[in-house]
Amino acid sequence: MHELALCKGIIDIVNSEAEEKKFERVLEIELKVGEYSGIVTQCLLEFFPVAAAGTPAQDARLTVSLVPASFKCPECGYEGAVDRKKACCPSCGSYGIKMLSGREFFVEQLKVE
């Protein structure tokens, strides 16, 4: 249920930007969420109206784009997706893979008026 706290953090960002940039209303908030972030998108969408009530984002649309996980193998140089069940390089079988993307969580864009 940490998604409610994340929504409150999004609203903190909105409020800060509204104060700094002097806008009254947010139409849309675009988020980027990594495949391996541990964030449940559906929970974000459900909790957002509660967190946004009484703020410039009260009637804003929340859109979430998933950032796919990408890995690099230092052994063979492979870059790309990895089978979650095996967690090894699909090219050479090494377990020394490093995650390049997939843990992101950030506000990509605010559409305001």
Side-chain angles (χ1 to χ4, degrees), residues 16-89:
S16 176
E17 289 293 309
E19 187 176 314
E20 181 182 326
K21 303 219 168 78
K22 310 293 184 216
F23 57 80
E24 299 288 322
R25 185 169 166 237
V26 179
L27 303 173
E28 183 176 359
I29 300 169
E30 295 180 21
L31 300 178
K32 295 285 188 180
V33 177
E35 178 183 357
Y36 280 62
S37 67
I39 296 168
V40 180
T41 301
Q42 188 59 39
C43 290
L44 278 178
L45 297 172
E46 289 177 19
F47 291 137
F48 180 74
V50 174
T55 73
Q58 181 165 322
D59 296 317
R61 190 176 114 180
L62 186 66
T63 60
V64 179
S65 297
L66 185 67
V67 178
S70 179
F71 298 84
K72 180 170 178 127
C73 177
E75 300 295 323
C76 71
Y78 170 83
E79 281 191 33
V82 169
D83 183 340
R84 279 183 177 232
K85 293 177 184 169
K86 294 180 182 176
C88 66
C89 176

Side-chain angles (χ1 to χ4, degrees), residues 87-107:
C88 66
C89 176
S91 181
C92 72
S94 170
Y95 288 99
I97 56 174
K98 304 289 181 202
M99 184 178 281
L100 300 175
S101 66
R103 290 192 179 132
E104 296 81 356
F105 177 69
F106 59 90
V107 175

